Amino acid sequence: MFQYVVERWSQIWFSSWQHFSLVVQCTVLATVIAVVLATLVYRSPRLTSVANGVSAIGLTLPSFAVIGLLIVPLGFGVLPSVVTVVFFAALPILRNAVVGLAEIPPSVVESARGIGMSRFRTLVQVELPMAWPIILSGVRVSAQMVMGIAAIAAYALGPGLGGFIFSGLSRLGGANALYSVVVGVIGVVLLALVLDLLLIGLGRLTISRGIRVQH
């Protein structure tokens, strides 16, 4: 095992970086999309129910099947991988963003409006910062979830450590097949831990002390 890793270290490192980059960029994009959608629907109970329903149904879809279906219109490569990862990453973030914004006390919003803040300024400077801890919790859940989904993207010839897993599984019983799978799986787990630590650090930097105490 040690020899296998040493001989392929540059390839493992490059695939790990691709995997990490794919997950981070897709999670950022999913966060933007989910927060924008949440700000459009959270004031309407009906639209909130629709958003929560979409999140719940979307999470029941097998990621492997979604990637397989996307190969038909999008072909192989990075694009179906990105679409799949963004789709699944956005679902928990959307639900948390709706909950976080809906739980802000109306009196806080009314106070902000009472001192002359516009609706947009109230949203950006008051509501979103207060909802950010809950939103970030959704981001952490999404990041952990799509770290594994990104590995499945190798089925569509996407980038990342999934190539080691699929390569090993396709020739299981052959030389170094098990090592290839183990490297891919352990690599995904380690990257997930690193990303979660980074998100914890992001929370400490972006959540004010007063809000952290409340949560």
Side-chain angles (χ1 to χ4, degrees):
M1 181 69 184
F2 178 76
Q3 183 180 356
Y4 177 87
V5 172
V6 171
E7 291 176 351
R8 294 163 179 79
W9 176 248
S10 60
Q11 182 183 356
I12 294 171
W13 175 256
F14 181 68
S15 296
S16 299
W17 171 249
Q18 283 186 319
H19 197 103
F20 190 81
S21 178
L22 172 67
V23 171
V24 169
Q25 293 183 63
C26 289
T27 302
V28 170
L29 179 58
T31 301
V32 173
I33 294 172
V35 170
V36 170
L37 290 176
T39 59
L40 296 175
V41 306
Y42 81 99
R43 298 189 196 95
S44 169
R46 185 173 182 179
L47 292 178
T48 297
S49 298
V50 171
N52 290 334
V54 170
S55 297
I57 294 172
L59 289 172
T60 64
L61 297 175
S63 55
F64 191 84
V66 172
I67 292 176
L69 291 173
L70 288 175
I71 289 176
V72 178
L74 302 179
F76 290 89
V78 175
L79 187 56
S81 304
V82 170
V83 172
T84 302
V85 174
V86 170
F87 171 73
F88 282 101
L91 299 177
I93 302 173
L94 175 60
R95 174 173 291 185
N96 277 39
V98 170
V99 171
L101 290 169
E103 288 185 350
I104 295 174
S107 58
V108 175
V109 178
E110 292 172 3
S111 298
R113 298 301 302 276
I115 62 174
M117 296 180 68
S118 66
R119 191 71 193 87
F120 180 75
R121 281 190 62 194
T122 302
L123 174 65
V124 173
Q125 298 183 7
V126 177
E127 294 178 88
L128 285 177
M130 292 185 67
W132 177 239
I134 299 178
I135 296 173
L136 186 58
S137 296
V139 174
R140 290 180 62 189
V141 171
S142 287
Q144 299 301 300
M145 180 179 68
V146 298
M147 191 65 77
I149 292 175
I152 301 175
Y155 177 74
L157 303 182
L161 291 168
F164 285 93
I165 298 174
F166 277 91
S167 174
L169 292 176
S170 66
R171 51 189 177 83
L172 205 58
N176 296 326
L178 181 60
Y179 297 156
S180 180
V181 175
V182 171
V183 165
V185 172
I186 293 178
V188 169
V189 172
L190 292 177
L191 290 179
L193 292 174
V194 170
L195 182 54
D196 195 49
L197 289 174
L198 291 175
L199 289 173
I200 291 174
L202 177 64
R204 293 186 178 277
L205 291 174
T206 57
I207 300 173
S208 68
R209 185 184 300 273
I211 295 177
R212 283 207 301 269
V213 170
Q214 292 177 5
H215 287 269

